[in-house]
Amino acid sequence: MVACGRAGCCTSLLYSTQVGRCAIGGVSLTCSGIIACMTQSEHVLRMADLRRSCSVLLDEAERRFGDEVDLSELPVDYYWSLDLAAAFDMSKAPTQLDCGQVSDDVAEIGALVRRTPEDAIALWHDLDHLAGVLRLLAHLDLPR
């Protein structure tokens, strides 16, 4: 078993056991998979903590990649995506992969920041596009 190294981390919410990197029901688990990387005292998502962590990570991304990322210079635009509802339904394995597009995600983020306060926000939709852009930044930082 290989765990991420944090004390109390890598606990399966399904089985309440420490799993690290292994498999449950044939599904490979890591700290970014079916398990939750949290200690017992961290079972609350605090928006202030999320906002601060986003700020810290985006500051670092800006330091590494600059204040703009030219999408035309990237070797990637499309990526595999899992339906949001299926991603959180642990009762069955997902049956379909979708395709996301970074340029579409960036366009949607641009449209989001131009909206007026009266415009409706579809949180599930807008956060999904934001997640695509954040995953791009993570992909760009992968060790080569």
Side-chain angles (χ1 to χ4, degrees):
M1 177 187 311
V2 178
C4 71
R6 287 183 52 204
C9 187
C10 307
T11 301
S12 167
L13 295 180
L14 294 175
Y15 300 97
S16 297
T17 57
Q18 192 148 2
V19 293
R21 182 172 291 147
C22 64
I24 293 176
V27 177
S28 180
L29 303 177
T30 65
C31 290
S32 61
I34 294 174
I35 56 178
C37 290
M38 58 182 71
T39 61
Q40 292 299 320
S41 64
E42 294 175 324
H43 284 278
V44 173
L45 174 61
R46 292 173 186 83
M47 292 299 146
D49 291 345
L50 181 61
R51 183 175 285 110
R52 175 70 181 127
S53 66
C54 286
S55 181
V56 167
L57 293 170
L58 290 174
D59 287 348
E60 182 60 20
E62 187 174 19
R63 186 187 71 73
R64 291 183 191 189
F65 307 124
D67 60 352
E68 292 183 351
V69 176
D70 186 350
L71 299 180
S72 67
E73 295 180 4
L74 299 180
V76 296
D77 189 22
Y78 294 94
Y79 58 89
W80 293 115
S81 176
L82 189 59
D83 174 73
L84 191 56
F88 288 89
D89 182 358
M90 303 312 296
S91 66
K92 58 184 178 255
T95 58
Q96 180 179 346
L97 282 175
D98 294 321
C99 183
Q101 188 174 7
V102 172
S103 55
D104 178 57
D105 294 333
V106 170
E108 288 289 330
I109 296 301
L112 173 66
V113 299
R114 290 188 299 277
R115 289 183 194 157
T116 66
E118 295 81 30
D119 290 336
I121 293 178
L123 198 56
W124 68 269
H125 178 262
D126 296 327
L127 284 173
D128 202 39
H129 284 292
L130 179 60
V133 173
L134 293 175
R135 289 189 53 83
L136 169 69
L137 294 175
H139 175 77
L140 294 175
D141 193 52
L142 283 174
R144 305 272 187 243

